[in-house]
Amino acid sequence: MFNSLPKNLTSALLLAGVLTGCSMAPTYVRPTAPVAGTFPAGEFATTQSEADAVALGWRQFFPDQRLQTLIAAALVNNRDLRTAALNIEAASAQYDITAADALPNVNGGFSRTRARSAASQLIPGQAPVGTSYAVGLNMTAFELDFFGRVRSLKDAALASYLSTEQARLSVQITLVSQVAQAYLAERSFAEQQEIAQQTLDSRLQDYKLAKMRFDVGASSALDLRVSETLVQSARVSFATLARQKGQASNALTLLVGTPITDLPAPQTLASQQIVTDIPAGLPSDLLIRRPDIRAAEQQLRAANANIGAARAAFFPRISLTAGIGNASSSLGDLFAAGSRTWSFIPQLTLPIFEGGRNRANLTLSEVRKNIAVANYEKTIQTAFSEVADALVARGALAEQLDAQQAFLMAQQERVKLTDLRFKNGIASSTDMLVAQRDLFSAQQALVQTRQLRLNNAIDLYRSLGGGLNETTQAPIATPVQNKTVN
C-alpha cells in the first residue's frame, strides 16, 4: 500500500520526523544563591569539619532500634508520603501526554456510507440510493514544530515532573525527622511521667509520716497541709503528663500510619544511642543536597520553558493532515485495482489579530518566571537559615544541658540539707515545700533539655538534606525512567 505513497506526502512525513524546531525559550541560567559563603559563627557555633549528611543513612543517624522500626514503618504506611508518590505518577503521565504531541497521531479507519442523492443530480441509469466503503490510515493536524512551541511545552512538563519527584523526596526527609521528633516527645513525656510517679510515691510516704506525727501531736496542722499540698501537686503533674504522653503516642501513630506492637525496648533520652551528631557543610552544598531547592529550581525551569511556548505563539503554526487508503462502492472491490485514495492537507495559521492575547500570555509567562526566581531564592535563604539556626542552637543547648545537670545536682543537695534542717527544727515546712517543688521542676527541666538537644540534632540532619538514604552504601533514588532534560 505504501509503495505508491505520493512523493510530497512522503517528504512531509520525513520532514516531520526529523524536525524538532528551534527553541525560543530563554537560555536557562541558575540564579546566584542569595546567601553568605559560610554560616554565621555565633557565640556557641561549632567549628567541626564538613560531613555529608545526605550520605549518612537514617539507620546510622538513628541507632535506636525502636526508632528505626518506627521510621521504616512510616516510610511504607504514611499517607502523606504515599500521596507524594502518587503525585509523581500523575506528573509522569502528564509529561507523557505532552511529549506525545511531538509525534504524529496515525489512526486506522473503516467506514460504510449509505446515502440518497437528489433526483435532479442523478445520471440516467444511476440508482438514487448508493453505498460506499473506505479503509485507510489518517494523520490529523500534526504540528510541525518550527518555532519550538511543542518542545517548550514538553520541557515544561518534564521540569514539572522532576519538581514533583523532588517534592516527594522532601516529604520523605520531613517525615523521617517528624517521626523521630514525635518519638522523642513521647519518650520525654514518658520519662517525666515516671519522675512524677516516683515523686508522688515519695510524697505519699512523707504524708503518712506527717499524718502520724500530727495524730500524736508532734507536728502542727500547717505541716500536715504542706505535705498534703505536695501530694496533690504531684498528682496534678502525673495526670497532666499521662494525658500529654497519650496524645504524643497518638500523634506518633498517625505519622507512622499504622499501630506498631512488639517494639524493641526504648532508650532513655540520656542515652548516646538515639541520634548521631554530625558537623555541617557549606551553604553551597545545600544546592545539591536539599530536594526542596531542587524542586524550586525545576519549577523555575518549567516557567522558563513556558516563556518559549508563549513566544512561539507569535509565529505561524503549520500543521499537516494526510490520509491514504482505498474506497469503493462495493465491499468486494475495496482492495481492487483503481480503488486507491490519498489526501494531503497542509495548513498554515498566522496570528493577525487576537486582541492582545498572545502579548498578555507572554507577559504572564515572564511574571511567573520572576515569581519562580523569587521562590527559588527564598527556598535557598530558608535552607541557609535553618542550618544556621541549628548550628547556633547546638552549641548553646550543649552548654544549657551541662548547666541544667549541675543545677539538678545543686537542687538535690539543697533538698537533703533542707530536710535535715527541718527534722532538727531549724527550717520551716514552707522551706521544705519550696525545696521539693524546685527539685521536681529541675528534674523535669533536665528531661526537656535533653529532648531539645536531640531535636536540634535532628533539625540539623534534616536541614542538611539527610533522611533519604537507609545506608551510606545504598542511597535511595527515584528513577526518572527515560526522561531527560534538554
Side-chain angles (χ1 to χ4, degrees), residues 407-418:
F407 180 71
L408 176 60
M409 293 178 63
Q411 288 293 347
Q412 290 172 336
E413 190 65 24
R414 173 191 172 192
V415 169
K416 291 180 181 179
L417 295 175
T418 303

Side-chain angles (χ1 to χ4, degrees), residues 250-392:
N250 292 337
L252 180 58
T253 301
L254 177 62
L255 285 172
V256 172
T258 184
I260 302 295
T261 58
D262 299 329
L263 288 169
Q267 301 282 345
T268 65
L269 297 186
S271 171
Q272 300 298 318
Q273 298 299 317
I274 296 182
V275 300
T276 303
D277 202 7
I278 58 171
L282 298 175
S284 59
D285 294 331
L286 297 175
L287 298 176
I288 301 175
R289 295 173 174 177
R290 296 265 303 222
D292 56 341
I293 294 179
R294 294 180 184 178
E297 184 174 7
Q298 292 299 335
Q299 291 170 359
L300 176 55
R301 286 181 178 271
N304 191 73
N306 283 328
I307 292 178
R311 287 177 175 176
F314 286 90
F315 295 87
R317 185 180 301 179
I318 301 174
S319 60
L320 300 178
T321 298
I324 184 172
N326 293 63
S328 174
S329 60
S330 171
L331 181 62
D333 296 333
L334 186 59
F335 295 99
S339 64
R340 183 66 45 81
T341 64
W342 62 267
S343 65
F344 176 61
I345 310 172
Q347 183 178 6
L348 173 66
T349 303
L350 178 65
I352 297 177
F353 177 76
E354 26 67 37
R357 183 185 303 274
N358 288 341
R359 174 62 60 185
N361 281 333
L362 178 58
T363 300
L364 178 61
S365 299
E366 292 172 341
V367 171
R368 285 176 173 171
K369 178 187 176 181
N370 293 334
I371 294 175
V373 170
N375 290 337
Y376 173 72
E377 293 176 340
K378 178 61 179 297
T379 304
I380 293 177
Q381 290 176 334
T382 301
F384 179 87
S385 176
E386 289 176 353
V387 176
D389 288 346
L391 284 175
V392 171

Side-chain angles (χ1 to χ4, degrees), residues 84-103:
L86 293 173
N87 286 336
I88 293 179
E89 294 184 19
S92 177
Q94 184 60 53
Y95 168 78
D96 292 336
I97 293 172
T98 305
D101 291 337
L103 300 173

Side-chain angles (χ1 to χ4, degrees), residues 198-229:
Q198 293 172 353
T199 301
L200 177 59
D201 293 342
S202 175
R203 291 179 180 178
L204 283 173
Q205 293 295 328
D206 292 342
Y207 177 76
K208 291 179 180 179
L209 293 176
K211 183 69 169 55
M212 293 173 58
R213 290 170 57 85
F214 175 75
D215 290 342
V216 298
S219 64
S220 65
L222 177 60
D223 293 335
L224 180 62
R225 295 310 172 193
V226 167
S227 181
E228 183 181 3
T229 300

Side-chain angles (χ1 to χ4, degrees), residues 377-441:
E377 293 176 340
K378 178 61 179 297
T379 304
I380 293 177
Q381 290 176 334
T382 301
F384 179 87
S385 176
E386 289 176 353
V387 176
D389 288 346
L391 284 175
V392 171
R394 179 169 61 175
L397 285 170
E399 180 70 19
Q400 180 179 341
L401 181 60
D402 289 342
Q404 193 67 52
Q405 289 173 333
F407 180 71
L408 176 60
M409 293 178 63
Q411 288 293 347
Q412 290 172 336
E413 190 65 24
R414 173 191 172 192
V415 169
K416 291 180 181 179
L417 295 175
T418 303
D419 182 61
L420 183 61
R421 290 168 58 85
F422 176 73
K423 291 178 178 179
N424 291 325
I426 301 175
S428 65
S429 58
T430 303
D431 294 334
M432 193 63 193
L433 169 65
V434 173
Q436 290 187 349
R437 283 181 175 176
D438 289 347
L439 174 61
F440 180 70
S441 298

